[in-house]
Amino acid sequence: MVIRKEADDMTYVVQTNKLTKTIGEKNLVTNVFMHVKKGEIYGFLGPNGAGKTTVMKLLTNLWKPTEGSIELFGEKLTSTSYDVLKRMGCMIEFPTFYEHLSGRENLALHCEYMGYYNTGSIENAMELLGLNNTGKKSVREYSLGMKQRLGLARAVLCKPELLILDEPTAVLTPQETEKLFNVLRKMRDDGKAIVIITHKMHEVESLSDRVAVLRNGQYIGSMLTKD
C-alpha cells in the first residue's frame, strides 16, 4: 500500500482539518486530517490507545475538539448540528441498552429518538444482523455477540448516509464478521460513507477502500488499499 496525498477538489462526506483533542496536559490526538467520500469504506487503523476512539467521539459530537474543525456533508459540525447528526449511524465502544427490554423494543425506542418511522425498518435491521429469531427475549439474556449485533442493527436501522463503527467485530465469530462485511459492502455500493476503526490489519485490507493510520495520537497519513 502506498501513501498518497488526498485531493483537495473532491466532495467529501467527512472532512477534518488539524483536528486536535487535549485533556489537561495530555494530547489524545493531534492534527488529524480526514477525507471520507460517499460510497467509500474508510478504515482507521492503529494499536489500542492510538486515539482512534477519540476521533470517533469527536465526529459524533460526543466530545468537542480543542483545536481544528469538522465538516459533515459540507457543514461545519457545531453543538446544534441536529439535522446533520440524524443522517449518521454509529456504534462507539461497546453498545449499551435497556436490558429489561427486548432487542426489538430497544430499536423501537431508537426510532422514536431519531424520528424515524419507516414500516418494517426494525424487522429488516434485525434480520440483516441475524437477530430475527430472538422473539421477546430481553437483552439481559443476550450473549456478548448478540449484543454486538444488536448495536450494529441499531447503527444501520435508520439507513444512515454516514456510518461510524468502533471495533465492530470485537466479539463476533468469523462467520458473523463475514456477514457484517457483506452488509457494509452493500451499503458502500449503495453510496453510503462508512468509517470503521480497528487494530486488525487483515480486516482493513479485506474491507476498506482507504485507510488512515494513527500512532500515539499522531496522524501518520492515509493510503488507498484498492485501485
Side-chain angles (χ1 to χ4, degrees):
M1 294 186 290
V2 179
I3 292 181
R4 308 182 186 186
K5 186 178 183 296
E6 305 198 57
D8 295 327
D9 58 351
M10 299 293 294
T11 300
Y12 292 98
V13 175
V14 178
Q15 292 189 86
T16 70
N17 181 45
K18 297 182 180 179
L19 190 62
T20 299
K21 180 63 178 178
T22 302
I23 296 180
E25 297 183 356
K26 183 176 178 60
N27 292 327
L28 301 183
V29 292
T30 305
N31 290 337
V32 174
F33 293 84
M34 282 183 70
H35 299 80
V36 184
K37 295 187 293 184
K38 179 180 179 180
E40 177 177 65
I41 297 177
Y42 188 102
F44 237 115
L45 181 67
N48 292 333
K52 306 185 299 299
T53 297
T54 295
V55 173
M56 299 303 103
K57 288 181 177 180
L58 293 169
L59 290 180
T60 54
N61 238 6
L62 294 173
W63 284 0
K64 309 300 181 189
T66 305
E67 296 180 31
S69 62
I70 301 169
E71 287 189 9
L72 301 178
F73 306 103
E75 298 182 24
K76 186 173 181 179
L77 185 64
T78 71
S79 59
T80 59
S81 297
Y82 306 121
D83 290 339
V84 168
L85 293 173
K86 284 189 174 184
R87 300 168 70 180
M88 299 168 56
C90 66
M91 187 178 75
I92 307 298
E93 298 183 323
F94 195 75
T96 58
F97 305 95
Y98 293 102
E99 300 231 337
H100 64 288
L101 300 179
S102 69
R104 184 171 280 99
E105 288 169 332
N106 271 277
L107 295 188
L109 282 175
H110 184 70
C111 285
E112 289 286 341
Y113 173 73
M114 296 292 288
Y116 186 85
Y117 304 107
N118 283 23
T119 302
S121 59
I122 294 174
E123 288 70 23
N124 290 341
M126 294 192 75
E127 182 174 1
L128 202 61
L129 275 300
L131 294 168
N132 48 311
N133 294 320
T134 56
K136 297 182 179 179
K137 180 185 293 187
S138 65
V139 171
R140 69 166 60 95
E141 300 177 76
Y142 279 25
S143 67
L144 286 178
M146 290 172 67
K147 288 181 179 179
Q148 185 85 346
R149 285 185 282 135
L150 184 61
L152 293 165
R154 184 170 60 189
V156 304
L157 174 61
C158 300
K159 298 189 182 303
E161 298 169 64
L162 169 62
L163 179 64
I164 298 176
L165 301 177
D166 182 0
E167 301 285 2
T169 66
V171 294
L172 299 185
T173 66
Q175 293 79 12
E176 290 168 342
T177 295
E178 187 54 36
K179 185 171 183 177
L180 171 62
F181 284 4
N182 288 336
V183 170
L184 298 180
R185 292 183 184 111
K186 177 64 165 57
M187 293 182 67
R188 174 195 59 195
D189 294 344
D190 288 341
K192 312 303 183 184
I194 300 167
V195 179
I196 179 171
I197 73 171
T198 182
H199 61 277
K200 301 175 182 178
M201 186 66 181
H202 66 281
E203 290 189 358
V204 161
E205 290 183 331
S206 67
L207 183 65
S208 301
D209 302 296
R210 181 181 292 275
V211 178
V213 179
L214 281 181
R215 184 182 302 134
N216 297 324
Q218 298 291 322
Y219 178 76
I220 305 302
S222 72
M223 60 193 79
L224 295 174
T225 60
K226 300 176 178 64
D227 295 328

